[in-house]
Amino acid sequence: MLDKAEDIHPLFNDAPKSTEFKKLRKRIVSQTREAIEQYGMIEPGGKWLVCLSGGKDSYTLLAVLHELKWRGLLPVELLACNLDQGQPGFPATVLPKFLQEREVAHRIEYQDTYSIVMDKVPQGRTFCALCSRLRRGNLYRIAREEGCTAVVLGHHRDDILETFFMNLFHGGRLATMPPKLVNEEGDLFVYRPLAHVAEVDCEKFARDLNYPIIPCDLCGSQDGLQRQQVKQILDGWEKNSPGRRQVMFRALMNTRPSHLLDPELFDFKALSRSEPDSALENELPPLFR
């Protein structure tokens, strides 16, 4: 099926014919489909705003979602969206040309959030938090204007792991980016279909397809970012123990409230010698079992 030229989405027109790439593509598509089904992302009549930054992750997201829709496995409408935030030197013509050539429905929005970030963030502080909030607010607005039911982001497995350790090391809490959530206003879902996909696979996938990668030079130019420090720690663990990232990721899917310390999640005071803790765990809401 994947070898037939007439049976692919234009996003895959330049796909390599190698067995290695076919295995990579199959793995990413399978993992994305698994996350979509596991976290209940599909709803009847859904329309997804697929956020495209021009990085390797968002390109992978865009291609895989169109692959699933092309094969009748994703019954939702897809609208790609790029938010041009006014960064100096941003190649504004790259993504419109790319999307038009590959027959992808899209919207390009220009909002100069760059100037706001530069004005509001003190010298020496990181830009990411404010930049992210401004970007997210604009994406929510665009989603509403386009009648979308969900905003879809390209965060992958490694992003989720890094966020967990950032919260652990710097935030004093066990939390990360969930694959599915509802925005604060309660009118939009936020999905991360690449939740099970490794960053290295996204990088190889986008590179093999020769997608025009646009780097984010705003935060990438700052030294000492917490996320970069966490990434280096994880890289070291992975180098010394290959497969460590996947083991840690599985741990996020295998939480045991009775073996942590949060009395809001588990009623330690009610624990008695005559009643095993497993019985009490069964009384917890399904979310915490």
Side-chain angles (χ1 to χ4, degrees):
M1 289 287 287
L2 294 180
D3 293 330
K4 297 180 180 179
E6 70 276 9
D7 194 39
I8 60 173
H9 189 277
L11 282 164
F12 290 89
N13 282 345
D14 299 322
K17 304 299 183 181
S18 67
T19 300
E20 181 182 10
F21 177 79
K22 291 176 183 178
K23 289 181 178 179
L24 172 67
R25 177 178 173 182
K26 181 178 180 180
R27 179 168 64 251
I28 294 177
V29 170
S30 176
Q31 290 172 338
T32 303
R33 184 183 180 188
E34 178 185 43
I36 289 172
E37 294 178 351
Q38 185 173 23
Y39 297 105
M41 297 182 188
I42 297 177
E43 58 178 333
K47 182 178 180 180
W48 291 7
L49 189 76
V50 183
C51 301
L52 184 65
S53 67
K56 64 183 186 311
D57 309 327
S58 62
Y59 276 124
T60 300
L61 174 70
L62 181 73
V64 172
L65 292 182
H66 278 83
E67 166 90 358
L68 290 170
K69 182 174 175 59
W70 185 262
R71 303 196 179 284
L73 300 173
L74 186 62
V76 301
E77 185 178 348
L78 300 176
L79 177 66
C81 177
N82 171 251
L83 179 64
D84 181 345
Q85 297 180 261
Q87 285 182 230
F90 182 81
T93 62
V94 169
L95 287 174
K97 182 174 183 291
F98 172 85
L99 294 167
Q100 290 167 7
E101 289 178 348
R102 287 159 178 79
E103 304 172 22
V104 175
H106 63 277
R107 172 171 169 175
I108 306 295
E109 178 85 3
Y110 177 81
Q111 291 291 329
D112 185 10
T113 64
Y114 173 83
S115 297
I116 299 175
V117 171
M118 298 302 293
D119 179 62
K120 298 295 184 182
V121 177
Q123 187 175 3
R125 300 289 296 275
T126 58
F127 304 134
C128 295
L130 179 58
C131 182
S132 177
R133 287 199 299 272
L134 293 173
R135 181 172 61 250
R136 191 68 59 88
N138 277 289
L139 290 173
Y140 287 165
R141 171 183 57 80
I142 295 168
R144 295 183 184 106
E145 292 174 358
E146 296 290 345
C148 295
T149 56
V151 172
V152 187
L153 307 174
H155 296 124
H156 45 64
R157 181 201 69 181
D158 297 71
D159 287 324
I160 292 173
L161 268 179
E162 289 163 15
T163 301
F164 171 79
F165 281 103
M166 287 176 64
N167 282 319
L168 178 67
F169 295 154
H170 304 287
R173 60 183 179 274
L174 296 180
T176 189
M177 299 184 294
K180 176 182 180 180
L181 60 85
V182 178
N183 68 336
E184 292 182 358
E185 294 79 6
D187 63 334
L188 291 168
F189 281 115
V190 178
Y191 296 148
R192 296 181 173 94
L194 298 184
H196 294 174
V197 178
E199 180 177 19
V200 65
D201 281 351
C202 292
E203 184 174 4
K204 182 166 177 33
F205 183 86
R207 184 176 65 247
D208 285 351
L209 283 163
N210 295 313
Y211 289 154
I213 305 299
I214 303 174
C216 176
D217 295 325
L218 178 61
C219 56
S221 63
Q222 294 178 284
D223 295 327
L225 291 178
Q226 293 175 353
R227 185 171 292 275
Q228 291 302 318
Q229 294 171 350
V230 168
K231 183 185 288 289
Q232 290 171 7
I233 292 172
L234 294 177
D235 285 344
W237 288 345
E238 185 71 21
K239 182 179 180 180
N240 293 330
S241 302
R244 185 61 53 199
R245 271 190 169 94
Q246 186 59 25
V247 172
M248 291 187 290
F249 182 78
R250 286 204 305 269
L252 296 179
M253 304 172 65
N254 187 25
T255 306
R256 299 186 180 183
S258 65
H259 290 62
L260 296 173
L261 283 75
D262 191 342
E264 297 296 324
L265 296 185
F266 186 81
D267 191 355
F268 292 96
K269 291 182 178 180
L271 189 63
S272 66
R273 288 185 297 274
S274 61
E275 185 175 23
D277 60 356
S278 59
L280 283 177
E281 284 195 23
N282 289 331
E283 296 176 5
L284 289 169
L287 177 62
F288 301 119
R289 291 178 189 168

